[in-house]
Amino acid sequence: MQQLIQNRLARRLLIHHQALSDPPHRAQTLPELQGVIERLGYVQVDSIAIVERAHHQILFARNKTYKQKQLHRLIERERTLFEHWTHDASVIPVSFFPYWKHRFIREKERLALRPMHFGSDFARSTDAILERIRRDGPVMARDFEARDKPSTGWWDWHPSKAALEYLWRTGELQISRREGFQKVYDLTERVIPAAYREQTFDHDTFVDWACTSALARLGFGTRGQIAAFFQLLKPAEVEEWVAANRSRLEEVRIESADGSKPRTAFAFPATLAELDTVPEPPTRVRVLSPFDPLLRDRGRAERIFDFHYRIEVFVPEAQRKYGYYVFPVMRGDTIVGRIDMKADRPNDVMSVRRFWPEKRTRLSRQLVSGLEAEIERLRRFTGVSRTNFKLDWLHP
């Protein structure tokens, strides 16, 4: 008989696996920060910095002593992280690099089917770029001639820009660092330590690692959620892995927050053993990045937290329900609302436009005080000097 995991336990387990139950105020060393990223599996990178760039805000939500320079050091000096694709651009533990070789091979096969996207000069550009980097060192896309017309996609870039992206996606180049969020490309052998660069795994080991690692971090998950976690595998590969590993897996039913029919998922016995001791999350209020891994799977977040969330960046202003870029707000194990705020750096102010509580959330003095304290923490983190609240920022 399938075990039923009650919603409150499911929430706490998921929060714990996402490193959001850790003490948020304890000073964090570089190895501890590395450990958090390894627990998460990856941290999504995004250029939008309405408050702070997504990768920094994700890590700050877990530990309030985190500083942006710590992540840069792990990537650029310690070389314990590298940047590549999961479902989107992400920073990934370098120990995962041998498994990403399978992705590089698949990317090369996939992109070989679309040569028309690169233009006639593409192959010559890749050879020339590799030779230039070997001779002169790292390069950026802006080091090459720009197109006269605006780009409509990476297949419409200048041949050198497309070649750089192709070489990165297929593993011959890596991102050595970023300057103003622009990628700096270098040869893989200059970025990835030899121990990981030279290590290889066969296909079956790769599939087992990808499925096991994904499910361990998800806590519980369906076949589709396992496949989507790293986006390294085809659905058929996950199906085969589940069939071959049924003795290692437990089928469970996950209670939904809204009382709808529980959803069947898989979990490891070791994960289920945690249910009796899973910690209660800190009660302090936290503003989450829209790209926080806790909420990346919007459907899962809605079932577990009863929180429907979409980014309205691409929704016409007149049709937006909340705002251009609204942040989820969590307190304890509950998503209590969303907030429209912005670090207005030119005017040196954290501008708070509005907070919308969820229907079940009571705007108590304690909640408001906790939210104001979190806004103040974010103000200091982003480096602006003051906070500006509109008179009607608390929306009933």
Side-chain angles (χ1 to χ4, degrees):
M1 185 174 179
Q2 294 175 345
Q3 179 176 346
L4 175 67
I5 300 180
Q6 295 179 339
N7 179 255
R8 189 169 184 82
L9 277 178
R11 272 185 282 153
R12 291 188 176 183
L13 183 67
L14 182 55
I15 288 168
H16 175 56
H17 276 243
Q18 294 300 317
L20 283 162
S21 290
D22 296 357
H25 55 275
R26 184 173 58 84
Q28 188 177 60
T29 65
L30 272 181
E32 287 170 336
L33 174 60
Q34 176 75 24
V36 168
I37 297 170
E38 291 182 1
R39 283 171 62 190
L40 296 176
Y42 61 85
V43 174
Q44 183 173 340
V45 173
D46 193 78
S47 62
I48 299 176
I50 301 298
V51 167
E52 180 52 277
R53 298 194 194 280
H55 39 292
H56 293 311
Q57 191 172 350
I58 288 167
L59 295 171
F60 181 74
R62 285 151 178 80
N63 190 290
K64 303 307 177 185
T65 72
Y66 166 76
K67 298 292 187 290
Q68 295 90 331
K69 63 183 179 181
Q70 292 178 303
L71 183 62
H72 294 309
R73 178 170 175 175
L74 290 176
I75 297 170
E76 299 170 13
R77 292 178 56 187
E78 305 297 327
R79 298 298 190 196
T80 56
L81 302 171
F82 74 106
E83 184 176 331
H84 217 272
W85 281 85
T86 54
H87 66 295
D88 210 320
S90 301
V91 289
I92 305 163
V94 75
S95 59
F96 295 3
F97 184 83
Y99 302 102
W100 250 253
K101 291 180 181 180
H102 291 264
R103 185 186 191 105
F104 302 153
I105 293 168
R106 291 180 176 184
E107 278 290 277
K108 188 171 288 189
E109 293 171 348
R110 182 179 69 85
L111 296 173
L113 300 176
R114 302 191 297 175
M116 72 292 296
H117 286 168
F118 306 116
S120 59
D121 293 333
F122 174 72
R124 188 162 59 249
S125 294
T126 58
D127 293 339
I129 283 173
L130 287 171
E131 178 56 33
R132 173 170 171 175
I133 295 174
R134 287 191 188 98
R135 183 184 67 243
D136 300 332
V139 299
M140 302 172 68
R142 70 187 184 199
D143 295 329
F144 300 93
E145 180 185 358
R147 291 287 288 268
D148 292 332
K149 64 176 182 175
S151 170
T152 58
W154 77 289
W155 54 86
D156 189 39
W157 290 335
H158 183 275
S160 295
K161 170 63 175 175
L164 284 169
E165 192 74 4
Y166 172 86
L167 290 167
W168 172 55
R169 293 198 184 196
T170 57
E172 293 195 66
L173 295 180
Q174 296 299 317
I175 297 173
S176 176
R177 64 184 188 279
R178 284 181 180 259
E179 292 184 7
F181 209 70
Q182 298 300 305
K183 297 171 185 171
V184 179
Y185 301 88
D186 202 353
L187 300 176
T188 294
E189 57 262 35
R190 294 177 184 164
V191 177
I192 304 298
Y196 302 111
R197 193 177 69 249
E198 295 169 2
Q199 191 175 23
T200 59
F201 295 104
D202 63 28
H203 178 264
D204 289 345
T205 303
F206 158 66
V207 171
D208 183 63
W209 175 86
C211 290
T212 301
S213 297
L215 184 55
R217 288 169 173 83
L218 286 165
F220 49 83
T222 64
R223 293 174 179 83
Q225 289 165 347
I226 293 169
F229 186 81
F230 288 122
Q231 287 203 354
L232 289 171
L233 301 175
K234 300 173 183 177
E237 291 172 317
V238 178
E239 289 278 359
E240 292 172 4
W241 179 83
V242 169
N245 288 273
R246 292 306 292 261
S247 62
R248 295 174 57 196
L249 304 174
E250 297 283 351
E251 276 195 278
V252 294
R253 292 180 299 135
I254 310 300
E255 185 180 47
S256 299
D258 64 359
S260 59
K261 182 180 178 180
R263 188 166 190 182
T264 300
F266 296 102
F268 289 120
T271 299
L272 299 182
E274 297 178 42
L275 289 174
D276 292 334
T277 57
V278 64
E280 186 173 347
T283 58
R284 72 191 300 170
V285 174
R286 291 187 249 201
V287 174
L288 302 179
S289 164
F291 300 107
D292 195 287
L294 183 74
L295 305 173
R296 179 213 154 184
D297 185 332
R298 306 294 193 216
R300 190 184 203 215
E302 189 165 355
R303 286 188 298 275
I304 300 300
F305 295 100
D306 194 20
F307 180 67
H308 178 81
Y309 179 73
R310 299 292 183 272
I311 299 176
E312 297 182 303
V313 169
F314 302 109
V315 176
E317 185 172 2
Q319 298 176 26
R320 291 174 190 153
K321 184 175 181 180
Y322 298 105
Y324 172 78
Y325 200 85
V326 173
F327 299 87
V329 179
M330 184 171 77
R331 182 170 182 252
D333 62 3
T334 304
I335 308 296
V336 296
R338 60 200 87 202
I339 190 168
D340 187 355
M341 59 189 295
K342 177 180 181 180
D344 184 354
R345 292 171 177 85
N347 293 307
D348 198 25
V349 62
M350 181 67 75
S351 176
V352 181
R353 299 184 179 96
R354 185 156 292 187
F355 171 73
W356 294 266
E358 290 294 283
K359 290 181 180 179
R360 62 186 175 277
T361 299
R362 186 173 67 87
L363 272 178
S364 65
R365 181 176 299 178
Q366 186 179 28
L367 174 58
V368 174
S369 176
L371 182 55
E372 289 175 338
E374 173 71 348
I375 293 166
E376 174 62 16
R377 285 189 287 268
L378 282 165
R379 180 199 66 76
R380 292 196 299 268
F381 181 59
T382 59
V384 296
S385 63
R386 59 193 177 90
T387 302
N388 176 34
F389 292 91
K390 285 188 174 183
L391 292 177
D392 61 349
W393 75 280
L394 287 175
H395 192 281

